Structures are given as structure tokens and as C-alpha cells.
């Protein structure tokens, strides 16, 4: 079964670079587009602080600290300009998330 992913980036170049890195995986329907100004970015957080349990699930330990989220993450979100949409096979999801992390991507908290 495929999972749909949306990852947010600071620049179009970052999004395109992540898209290119994902080509080694079984991605489908991958597109990069500008983020519309009316999109609610509140639940979007940096993909960081992750650990892989080795059991095929991707666990996120402290994605952002509450202080960071209150003081600077909200202003950082204003600098996210592009979103990368794609579908990925479930068994390759962990590797796709690692690519997003490597390219300083952000994702909705509920997608972890």
C-alpha cells in the first residue's frame, strides 16, 4: 500500500533536491509547488531528532522543543515556500522520511 507524503521546504531548490534524492526509491506522483499563503502551517514541524527502531517503524523522539516551537518555529514556518508531494510504498517510507530530514524538510506532526 502506498502512503502520501507532503514535505515543506525553505526554498524551491531544497524541495527539488529532495525530490531528486527520492528518485532512488519507488516514488510516484512527485510534484513541487509553491505553498499558498492561506495554508495553515501550525502543525508543520522540522523532521529532526528521529530514531529508527529497526523494526520497520519510524519513531520520532522530541521533534522540536516546546520553547523552540513557541519562540521561533512559528516564525520559521513563514519562510517555508515550497511543498513536495509524493506517494511512496509503505516499506520505503522510513527511507523517504530520512531523505526529507537530510534536506531540512518539515512535515505535519500527524504524519509521523
Amino acid at each position: 500500500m502506498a502512503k502520501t507524503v507532503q514535505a515543506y521546504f525553505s526554498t524551491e531548490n531544497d524541495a527539488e533536491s529532495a525530490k531528486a534524492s527520492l528518485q532512488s526509491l519507488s516514488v510516484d506522483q512527485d510534484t513541487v509547488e509553491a505553498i499558498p499563503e492561506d495554508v495553515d502551517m501550525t502543525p508543520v514541524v522540522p523532521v529532526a531528532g528521529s530514531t529508527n527502531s529497526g523494526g520497520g517503524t519510524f519513531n520520532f523522539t522530541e521533534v522540536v522543543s516546546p520553547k523552540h516551537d513557541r519562540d521561533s518555529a512559528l516564525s520559521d514556518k513563514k519562510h517555508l515556500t515550497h511543498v513536495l508531494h509524493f506517494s511512496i510504498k509503505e516499506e520505503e517510507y522510513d527511507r523517504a522520511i530520512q531523505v526529507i530530514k537530510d534536506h531540512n524538510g518539515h512535515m505535519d506532526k500527524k504524519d509521523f
Side-chain angles (χ1 to χ4, degrees):
M1 177 177 240
K3 293 185 93 162
T4 301
V5 177
Q6 290 188 98
Y8 301 87
F9 296 89
S10 297
T11 67
E12 182 177 14
N13 189 48
D14 289 343
E16 290 289 351
S17 180
K19 179 181 172 183
S21 294
L22 287 166
Q23 296 309 304
S24 64
L25 305 175
S26 300
V27 294
D28 193 25
Q29 303 172 0
D30 51 338
T31 61
V32 172
E33 61 187 19
I35 300 170
E37 288 196 26
D38 61 343
V39 171
D40 178 15
M41 299 297 285
T42 304
V44 175
V45 296
V47 177
S50 60
T51 59
N52 191 329
S53 65
T57 58
F58 207 79
N59 297 318
F60 286 81
T61 59
E62 202 57 38
V63 176
V64 292
S65 71
K67 180 179 186 310
H68 176 77
D69 196 42
R70 266 195 319 275
D71 296 342
S72 62
L74 292 177
S75 62
D76 288 347
K77 291 172 193 173
K78 294 177 185 170
H79 299 291
L80 297 175
T81 62
H82 286 77
V83 60
L84 168 60
H85 305 273
F86 63 94
S87 295
I88 186 86
K89 291 180 180 178
E90 253 186 77
E91 58 269 15
E92 293 186 316
Y93 182 75
D94 293 353
R95 288 182 279 180
I97 297 302
Q98 184 62 48
V99 169
I100 293 167
K101 179 183 173 187
D102 291 347
H103 291 273
N104 300 313
H106 293 64
M107 290 177 62
D108 190 315
K109 287 188 254 188
K110 70 176 173 51
D111 293 335
F112 297 133

